[in-house]
Amino acid sequence: MKYETYIFDMDGTILDTIEDLTVTTNYAMEKMGYPKHTIEEVKWFVGNGIMMLIKRAVPEGTSEEDIKRTHTFFMEHYKDHCNDKTGPYEGIIELLNKLKAADKKLAVVSNKADGPVKVLAQEIFPGLFDVAIGERPGINKKPARDMVDEAIKQLGADRDKTVYIGDTNVDFETAKNSELDCILVSWGFRGREFIEQYDAEYYVDRPEEIINI
């Protein structure tokens, strides 16, 4: 393994969160009297943070005030329901255990709210991630490099020996902005055909392939 530090995206990369995200999105839509969405639709809403998810989900022309109300409904529901049906993708826990056993440094950075990120990292991957960072005031969301820089700082990691792993164009852009090699995974929210549009260093179809890079 050529890298010493592995920084992972969360949604669509290590965790299949789409069902809980869809349920909560539709809860917020229902509270506002807006049309609901399918899982496939919500897959394309995610990636740029919860506020952007809401802006993509509400009807065109929705006022800023109503967007904020919808966001509030989402956040109130999701904090208590972020782990109802969420779980790791097949092979992810085995991958993380192997990396940990090889003394690699592990972090997760996500545009999901910081609270749920930390809850999910601890509840589903206890003891595996050294750092978990989500969206919070004072730190720019991905694809800005801020979260990655903060993770590297907290880990005391060598940037030249760090790799970023994600499943969307936002993750590819985050890796490039952070001056890191990028691994894009095909099992997430976008699929192999979509991610191959981007010039990542590696593409993988199964978690165990990451061990061999």
Side-chain angles (χ1 to χ4, degrees), residues 136-161:
R136 67 175 190 260
I139 189 165
N140 291 320
K141 296 190 298 293
K142 300 183 297 180
R145 62 186 286 164
D146 299 42
M147 290 182 178
V148 170
D149 286 350
E150 179 63 21
I152 288 173
K153 178 182 176 182
Q154 289 188 31
L155 291 168
D158 182 343
R159 187 181 299 271
D160 292 335
K161 296 180 180 178

Side-chain angles (χ1 to χ4, degrees), residues 51-65:
M51 182 58 80
M52 185 57 72
L53 183 160
I54 297 301
K55 289 181 178 179
R56 290 166 175 161
V58 299
E60 188 174 352
T62 299
S63 69
E64 284 298 320
E65 181 181 352

Side-chain angles (χ1 to χ4, degrees), residues 103-123:
D103 292 325
K104 305 302 181 183
K105 297 175 181 177
L106 304 180
V108 58
V109 298
S110 173
N111 281 342
K112 185 193 295 294
D114 191 60
V117 168
K118 287 178 166 54
V119 167
L120 291 170
Q122 180 56 39
E123 289 186 355

Side-chain angles (χ1 to χ4, degrees), residues 18-30:
I18 197 62
E19 196 164 352
D20 284 334
L21 287 170
T22 301
V23 168
T24 297
T25 297
N26 285 334
Y27 168 85
M29 296 299 106
E30 186 173 29

Side-chain angles (χ1 to χ4, degrees), residues 15-118:
L15 286 181
D16 185 355
T17 56
I18 197 62
E19 196 164 352
D20 284 334
L21 287 170
T22 301
V23 168
T24 297
T25 297
N26 285 334
Y27 168 85
M29 296 299 106
E30 186 173 29
K31 293 289 285 187
M32 295 296 292
Y34 299 151
K36 294 183 179 181
H37 296 282
T38 66
I39 283 177
E40 287 305 311
E41 288 174 322
V42 175
K43 280 184 179 180
W44 291 91
F45 295 162
V46 301
N48 298 91
I50 299 303
M51 182 58 80
M52 185 57 72
L53 183 160
I54 297 301
K55 289 181 178 179
R56 290 166 175 161
V58 299
E60 188 174 352
T62 299
S63 69
E64 284 298 320
E65 181 181 352
D66 283 344
I67 289 171
K68 290 178 182 177
R69 287 182 63 208
T70 310
H71 180 268
T72 298
F73 284 131
F74 183 103
M75 296 302 293
E76 288 175 349
H77 186 272
Y78 194 64
K79 67 181 173 64
D80 295 323
H81 299 279
C82 65
N83 196 17
D84 289 353
K85 298 180 180 180
T86 286
Y89 288 101
E90 184 178 354
I92 287 293
I93 288 181
E94 291 83 354
L95 165 66
L96 297 176
N97 278 320
K98 286 179 181 178
L99 292 173
K100 200 72 175 174
D103 292 325
K104 305 302 181 183
K105 297 175 181 177
L106 304 180
V108 58
V109 298
S110 173
N111 281 342
K112 185 193 295 294
D114 191 60
V117 168
K118 287 178 166 54

